[in-house]
Amino acid sequence: MIAIIAEKPSVGREIARIAGATEAKDGYMEGNGYSVTWALGHLVQLALPGTYGYTRTSGDNLPLLPDPFQLVIRQRKTDRGMATDPVAAKQLRTIDSVFSRCSAIIVATDAGREGELIFRYIYSYLGYTKPFRRLWISSLTDEAIRKGLSELKEGTEYDSLYHAADCRAKADWLVGINASQALAIASGTFNQSLGRVQTPTLAMICARFKENREFVPTDYWQLSVTLKKGDDFRQFRHVENIPEKTEADRLYDRITIDSMAAITKTERKRGFQAPPLLYDLTALQKDCNVHLDLSAEKTLAVAQSLYEKKLISYPRTGSRYIPDDVMRQVPDLLRGVIGMKEFREYGGTLDWDNLSTRSVNAGKVTDHHALIVTGVQPVMETLTEQEQAVYRMIAGRMLEAFSPVCEKETLVIEAAVDGLTFRSHSVSVVKPGWRAVFNRSEDKENDEETENKGTARFDESETVPVSGRSLAKKKTMPKPLYTEATLLAAMESCGKELADEEVREAMKELGIGTPATRAAVIATLFKREYVERSGKALVPTDKGMAVYEAVRKMRVADVELTGSWEKTLMQIERHKLSPETFMRSISVYARQVTEEVLSIRFPETASGGIVCPKCGKGKIILRQKLAKCNNEGCGLLVFRRFLNKELTDQHLAQLFSSGTTKLIKGFKGKKGTAFDAALAFDKEYNVTLSFPKPQVRNAPKQSGRKNTGRKSTGH
């Protein structure tokens, strides 16, 4: 019997069908000499501090440096703390049973770092030494699975991939656990966290937010003239912005209706805009955020669903290129794409004999080639709206990538008026090429919008009367706040502003996170309530900004340093660095980060002079774990943590000043049910829940729960 282990049940069943294992069992399929089982994501994980005996954390215990690390069955959060996930435990027993009866193992978890780690942790935890081979495929079509099963690789060929994934997991543990616990000790609150990639990402968002909000705009003036030719005209702008109003007025008055413009330069240039590269995951996430308003996390989930439906290749790829053998399949794949009604008209113009090969480069293909459709024709009615939209994005990008260049003409005309130089710069599309695939309105605006309006053309040495003049007041603008799309681009290029696509590609190894993990990092920032959305913009919360201000000058927030660790992990994957060398370095780094965070001194925060509502004499003082009256004889005390929710300074200020808060979202009852409520003081100044009227039908029965100031209630 040969065992096959996939990453998910749906993938396992597809592989089982191809292998002939058609008899359904509890947690696996059997038949034709195969037992096909599956993980449910990470069934096994690195043990938490309690496993190593760290039940109470103090600064003296830190940093925690397990040697060796231990593996445990996946844990889940309960009201009584962390406990073994029973679903994971059951499936792990099934895998153990399947492995124990087999002579060899085929690894069919997702072909990437995380997929390799999922299997290796299970294999190690269960204590097996049986040989295993690797099914390495980039799509789940029947043809790809059959081909992969006939070309299995030795498991040892992927040892370096596992070592890189294992080092990444342990590095995240060492930095995340130690830095977070150090922050808890320094601040006195336990609902905050720091992370190896999470904190530099937060730092980028907060730094941009501060830069944007603190930006002081500067006034300047733009002087323009209008020249006519027949019924057409063209506006020309003075080549220099004018910083002072008096000077602007002087130059404006210098030009009169009698002024003449001498055309000193007319220059036409043809330019070519190359088609874009195929999508990798990050590029897809950026475009889906811009055009579909999907979060990075949602885009990944939809792409994964399309992959499991055999419609696209492996989505968690970091490559935007395909090898030559895949290029041979491209014409047939494109014929399927132009069969879609959205692309049928454009498909009639495609030059099949001259498809662009810009995205063809085997040397730049990493574990998986770029994202492409598989040739399996989707039945659109069976897909969700989001699946249809994301599939169209991927299919359309394939058409763009193999289409001809976009040909443009740039026209620059300069004119001299009363000793001042004016310029008109315009760009027009001559042949749209790949830009015609989606024919997006914003593409047209970017191409055809000129610095100065009008389309009249003038010849060099021509003299034309000035038909109009204008003086416009302008302001300098700050860098815009990050959106998920621009944040993903910044993570990919280590926070650097890079417009050139080729340079961004070269910077990938210095980015923070990986295409497969960036969405989860951004999602964590929302989960921790460090970041919120304002329209499409990402804005730090007070809590997120407080964490940033505390650690912004420390190693844990250093974007470029984190990028260097990502490059080091790639070196492990490519056999250029030993895991032991990396782990020694990361242990030193974890010590340094822990010491820095422990050194933070959080001051007591005054609540803006709010008089104590109970005694009427003292003032309310806000601390990291509680708020209290500074009148020793009063005793009014409110813990920040209430029903798994951390109260903000704003919540506490509302409570102490008016006796109630506004509606607070995200409380959790004993059974983990989330609900919304306000907090209010009762007659004895205990904190109680207050539900809006009319009361929500399914509101949890928590109205009697009080925050009396006792530790057992507050935590």
Side-chain angles (χ1 to χ4, degrees), residues 293-513:
D293 202 20
L294 294 182
S295 69
E297 186 177 34
K298 185 62 180 178
T299 298
L300 175 55
V302 173
Q304 181 68 24
S305 176
L306 292 172
Y307 169 66
E308 291 175 16
K309 291 176 179 177
K310 308 181 183 183
L311 298 177
I312 64 170
S313 61
Y314 185 66
R316 290 176 169 82
T317 177
S319 176
R320 302 186 67 179
Y321 297 88
I322 58 172
D324 295 277
D325 61 329
V326 175
M327 180 60 196
R328 287 193 287 272
Q329 304 169 26
V330 165
D332 287 338
L333 296 177
L334 291 180
R335 288 186 180 93
V337 170
I338 64 173
M340 298 170 64
K341 61 181 181 181
E342 298 89 345
F343 307 121
R344 199 169 293 145
E345 182 178 349
Y346 177 79
T349 68
L350 195 61
D351 185 353
W352 295 93
D353 294 326
N354 292 289
L355 296 178
S356 171
T357 57
R358 183 168 182 249
S359 292
V360 183
N361 189 330
K364 292 185 177 181
V365 176
T366 51
D367 293 337
H368 295 278
H369 59 64
L371 252 172
I372 58 175
V373 300
T374 60
V376 174
Q377 293 303 306
V379 180
M380 286 299 190
E381 296 76 17
T382 66
L383 303 180
T384 67
E385 287 186 14
Q386 290 178 337
E387 287 173 336
Q388 291 179 39
V390 173
Y391 183 83
R392 277 193 291 268
M393 293 285 287
I394 296 168
R397 173 49 60 93
M398 277 193 69
L399 266 183
E400 289 180 325
F402 297 106
S403 289
V405 298
C406 173
E407 189 174 343
K408 301 178 181 182
E409 182 184 77
T410 301
L411 174 61
V412 177
I413 307 176
E414 290 186 358
V417 181
D418 292 319
L420 301 174
T421 302
F422 291 82
R423 178 181 297 133
S424 171
H425 176 277
S426 62
V427 179
S428 58
V429 175
V430 180
K431 294 180 181 178
W434 65 270
R435 299 290 288 270
V437 172
F438 283 107
N439 203 28
R440 292 186 175 113
S441 59
E442 61 266 32
D443 289 343
K444 292 179 182 179
E445 289 165 7
N446 290 337
D447 279 336
E448 297 173 5
E449 183 181 14
T450 62
E451 291 182 12
N452 306 283
K453 297 177 181 178
T455 58
R457 300 202 172 194
F458 300 93
D459 297 323
E460 203 166 304
S461 300
E462 192 174 351
T463 302
V464 185
V466 174
S467 59
R469 58 179 180 164
S470 64
L471 185 63
K473 181 180 179 181
K474 302 283 187 177
K475 289 182 180 293
T476 55
M477 299 294 291
K479 291 180 181 178
L481 298 174
Y482 280 121
T483 63
E484 283 205 37
T486 56
L487 179 63
L488 286 165
M491 293 174 76
E492 193 174 37
S493 56
C494 221
K496 292 179 171 59
E497 301 279 342
L498 300 174
D500 187 273
E501 188 175 39
E502 299 289 352
V503 178
R504 285 200 307 272
E505 283 293 305
M507 280 288 295
K508 274 187 175 183
E509 288 185 19
L510 284 173
I512 61 173

